[in-house]
Amino acid sequence: GYPTLLHQLFQHLISNAIKFSSKERNCQINLEYWNENDKQYFSLSDNGIGIEPEYINKVFKMFIRLHEKNNYKGSGLGLSLCKRIVEQHGGEISIHSEGINKGTQVIFSLNTTTIQQQ
């Protein structure tokens, strides 16, 4: 794959997990990895503030913010860039959360064949 893009992907996901951590508990981030059917899968989960299920599909759109700028800094580009990077590597990305204060899980795949060709 493209090392710079993959670095940006992990940087955005980990920084989001830290940025949206709960003030009520210590930040905990878990990263898992596995291979399946010519795809590499990654799961990054946290115990942060979570996302209401009805907003999950909006987070990958450019400049969409779920929080006020004075609460959380950012441009609303991070997750849209993550989606683009994953798709450039032949994969898919999704976000799962059961709601506010329930944490968030990001799962993405990278196509092994696509990565080896780049």
Side-chain angles (χ1 to χ4, degrees):
Y2 297 108
T4 302
L5 294 178
L6 294 173
H7 177 82
Q8 286 178 340
L9 172 63
F10 281 98
Q11 183 177 12
H12 283 299
L13 293 177
I14 292 169
S15 68
N16 268 5
I18 294 168
K19 181 191 326 185
F20 296 107
S21 62
S22 173
K23 293 175 181 29
E24 300 165 1
R25 56 190 169 273
N26 290 331
C27 179
Q28 189 173 23
I29 301 170
N30 297 311
L31 179 64
E32 295 180 44
Y33 164 82
W34 66 97
N35 282 314
E36 189 176 304
N37 300 328
D38 289 331
K39 289 199 175 191
Q40 297 176 355
Y41 289 88
F42 298 84
S43 169
L44 190 136
S45 57
D46 63 52
N47 65 340
I49 64 170
I51 302 171
E52 290 285 1
E54 64 263 24
Y55 296 117
I56 286 178
N57 291 329
K58 293 182 179 184
V59 297
F60 290 114
K61 295 182 180 174
M62 292 179 74
F63 304 112
I64 298 295
R65 298 176 45 86
L66 300 181
H67 305 281
E68 297 288 326
K69 276 191 174 185
N70 56 351
N71 292 337
Y72 297 97
K73 299 204 182 297
S75 63
L77 285 174
L79 289 175
S80 63
L81 290 173
C82 289
K83 182 175 182 180
R84 177 177 264 171
I85 292 167
V86 167
E87 290 173 348
Q88 284 180 314
H89 288 83
E92 298 175 357
I93 187 169
S94 61
I95 292 184
H96 308 275
S97 179
E98 295 188 23
I100 299 300
N101 290 319
K102 304 280 183 166
T104 303
Q105 179 185 35
V106 178
I107 298 175
F108 67 93
S109 64
L110 303 173
N111 187 309
T112 305
T113 307
T114 303
I115 291 172
Q116 291 172 350
Q117 292 173 356
Q118 296 177 359

